[in-house]
Amino acid sequence: MVATAATASLFPVISPSPDSGAEGNKHAGGPTNLGGFKSRHTSSRGLKVKANVQAPPKINGAAVATSVETCNHDDVLPSPSPRTFINQLPDWSMLLAAITTIFLAAEKQWMMLDWKPRRPDMLIDPFGIGKIVQDGMVFRQNFSIRSYEIGADRTASIETVMNHLQESALNHVKTAGILGDGFGSTPEMFKKNLIWVVTRMQVAVDRYPTWGDVVQVDTWVSASGKNGMRRDWLIRDCNTGEILTRASSVWVMMNKLTRRLSKMPSEVREEIGSYFVNSAPIIEEDNRKLTKLDDNTADYIRTSLSPRWNDLDVNQHVNNVKYIGWILESAPQSILESHELSSMTLEYRRECGRDSVLQSLTSVSGVDVGNLAYSGHVECKHLLRLEDGAEIVRGRTEWRPKPVNNIGIVNQVPAEST
């Protein structure tokens, strides 16, 4: 009965005519009622059938009579069921199916909004937005180490760590509600064409995360002198709470139009002053002087380094993370394969533009340059300069031997298949 009702709602039902029982009307052109629709009356003259009249066939000269069997369509086609009130009802199953689909889609969206981790090793902050903690003074954000953020030894690179520091700093300003129309600038800074530039960065890495690890980054700001700001970071393993990286930096303001350093206006200080934390740097400051390298004191020199378009940020200067990659361009290959960067101190002296051509210089201190792979802790000095000699960055890096299992991974070169 349900199938009959569903069919009746989609297709017209053919109702037999009152005189359908007569033999002569089965194949005649008389009027029929097609499911309540009136058909145009056609007489038998409207349909003319031409029959080929032939003589009866003969077999051996004798005529043979042939019998013509009439095809009875009533024996082939099933007779339609009588039209009743039940089979004229609409097919409510289609409407119910549509309503069910809508409710299932709404439930799925609600479950996504109300998503919560089911395992402790899952990302606590699935959308990577971060949040303000500790009475609004610290910003916290989680990052999952992606496959494209690791190196040959299956650990995150120093550039990945630095990108996490920069991303959390910008999201801190955004979440606090003081982000203007610039790259980390406040509304008052934007009015005065001021931007932040880093002058000093100090990083200490205790352990590098691996692919699939989730790290928790905490960052906060403090005053640095009269016109500067210090920003600190603390990176932990999200599952164990182990401290992975500590970093501290000093930032000053620069006029975006004149490209000159500027004092901090009182309006800007009022915007950000309430977020300053009165605390010591997260990492003890390395006060050792960064000496200048030249062609005579450098052990390794890499030339003809130039920024690409993708190396520029929205302030039209090279991102400070890119400088680290250029510095390591002149580091000896043997130390990159056998050691990992444990600490780094950088002094940014001037910005680099899109048309600049740079040189990277590295000097290895206290060890035999030809035997770096078997050395213990190694210290290097670095200089990034323009071709005309103008200094961009001075730096010092310290290296420790890689774990034994990581060294084995790097040295395993797959054999060529035959």
Side-chain angles (χ1 to χ4, degrees):
M1 184 64 68
V2 175
T4 304
T7 306
S9 64
L10 298 177
F11 303 99
V13 179
I14 302 176
S15 298
S17 59
D19 57 347
S20 60
E23 181 69 21
N25 289 339
K26 286 184 178 179
H27 304 287
T32 58
N33 185 6
L34 301 178
F37 294 93
K38 294 182 179 180
S39 60
R40 181 178 299 178
H41 176 75
T42 54
S43 62
S44 58
R45 293 176 299 177
L47 180 60
K48 297 181 179 180
V49 180
K50 294 182 179 180
N52 295 327
V53 181
Q54 298 179 354
K58 297 181 179 181
I59 298 178
N60 295 329
V64 178
T66 58
S67 61
V68 179
E69 297 181 356
T70 303
C71 179
N72 190 349
H73 294 281
D74 290 341
D75 296 337
V76 178
L77 298 177
S79 59
S81 59
R83 188 176 183 85
T84 63
F85 172 77
I86 297 299
N87 58 24
Q88 295 186 59
L89 291 176
D91 188 3
W92 296 103
S93 61
M94 298 180 64
L95 179 60
L96 292 176
I99 295 175
T100 303
T101 303
I102 294 174
F103 272 100
L104 290 176
E107 182 181 9
K108 183 178 180 180
Q109 293 294 329
W110 178 258
M111 291 178 64
M112 293 178 62
L113 295 176
D114 196 36
W115 185 91
K116 293 180 180 180
R118 298 295 184 264
R119 303 193 313 269
D121 61 334
M122 294 179 68
L123 187 60
I124 295 177
D125 183 12
F127 302 106
I129 300 174
K131 58 182 178 180
I132 303 291
V133 297
Q134 297 186 14
D135 297 330
M137 308 304 293
V138 177
F139 177 77
R140 176 171 296 169
Q141 184 173 2
N142 296 331
F143 294 92
S144 178
I145 305 302
R146 312 297 183 183
S147 60
Y148 51 82
E149 295 176 326
I150 63 175
D153 53 1
R154 301 184 183 180
T155 60
S157 62
I158 185 62
E159 289 91 343
T160 296
V161 175
M162 299 300 294
N163 282 327
H164 291 169
L165 301 184
Q166 179 174 281
E167 181 70 12
S168 60
L170 293 174
N171 288 336
H172 183 192
V173 180
K174 181 178 181 179
T175 306
I178 56 175
L179 180 64
D181 196 23
F183 199 52
S185 301
T186 65
E188 288 296 331
M189 292 176 62
F190 176 72
K191 294 178 182 178
K192 302 180 185 316
N193 294 316
L194 297 176
I195 59 175
W196 290 110
V197 291
V198 59
T199 60
R200 185 179 177 86
M201 176 74 70
Q202 191 172 345
V203 182
V205 181
D206 296 330
R207 182 176 68 84
Y208 287 92
T210 59
W211 176 32
D213 288 349
V214 178
V215 297
Q216 177 181 281
V217 181
D218 288 355
T219 182
W220 59 94
V221 292
S222 306
S224 178
K226 294 182 179 180
N227 299 303
M229 179 186 71
R230 190 185 79 241
R231 178 174 286 277
D232 293 342
W233 293 271
L234 182 63
I235 302 181
R236 297 186 180 92
D237 187 295
C238 195
N239 297 326
T240 64
E242 175 190 2
I243 295 178
L244 304 179
T245 303
R246 293 163 293 140
S248 184
S249 61
V250 177
W251 300 73
V252 295
M253 293 186 180
M254 184 180 73
N255 189 290
K256 185 168 57 175
L257 302 179
T258 64
R259 317 308 288 187
R260 295 181 178 273
L261 298 182
S262 172
K263 294 182 178 180
M264 183 182 296
S266 58
E267 296 85 356
V268 176
R269 189 177 300 275
E270 292 178 359
E271 283 182 318
I272 64 178
S274 60
Y275 296 95
F276 284 171
V277 178
N278 186 16
S279 63
I282 190 64
I283 183 174
E284 185 178 356
E285 185 176 358
D286 189 353
N287 293 320
R288 292 178 295 171
K289 183 179 180 180
L290 296 175
T291 58
K292 180 180 178 180
L293 294 180
D294 54 29
D295 295 343
N296 298 324
T297 58
D299 297 317
Y300 303 89
I301 300 178
R302 179 70 182 273
T303 61
S304 302
L305 300 174
S306 57
R308 301 171 300 176
W309 174 256
N310 291 335
D311 296 330
L312 304 179
D313 59 23
V314 297
N315 293 322
Q316 296 300 310
H317 67 226
V318 176
N319 189 289
N320 64 83
V321 178
K322 183 61 182 179
Y323 293 146
I324 300 174
W326 282 335
I327 287 175
L328 299 181
E329 283 287 340
S330 60
Q333 185 69 25
S334 57
I335 195 174
L336 296 176
E337 294 178 353
S338 60
H339 290 65
E340 64 182 10
L341 185 65
S342 59
S343 66
M344 174 178 60
T345 302
L346 302 176
E347 288 183 358
Y348 296 86
R349 295 181 172 262
R350 71 174 61 202
E351 65 176 338
C352 173
R354 58 179 298 183
D355 298 325
S356 302
V357 181
L358 300 92
Q359 298 176 346
S360 177
L361 290 74
T362 296
S363 172
V364 183
S365 304
V367 297
D368 184 8
V369 175
N371 197 26
L372 289 176
Y374 302 98
S375 303
H377 285 72
V378 179
E379 181 179 298
C380 297
K381 298 176 183 179
H382 306 274
L383 175 65
L384 195 63
R385 67 185 184 186
L386 298 176
E387 284 189 328
D388 59 5
E391 297 184 31
I392 302 296
V393 180
R394 287 188 186 184
R396 177 173 49 248
T397 58
E398 295 181 1
W399 304 75
R400 59 172 174 258
K402 288 182 179 180
V404 178
N405 55 342
N406 286 3
I407 296 178
I409 292 173
V410 175
N411 293 333
Q412 288 177 359
V413 179
E416 183 178 358
S417 60
T418 57

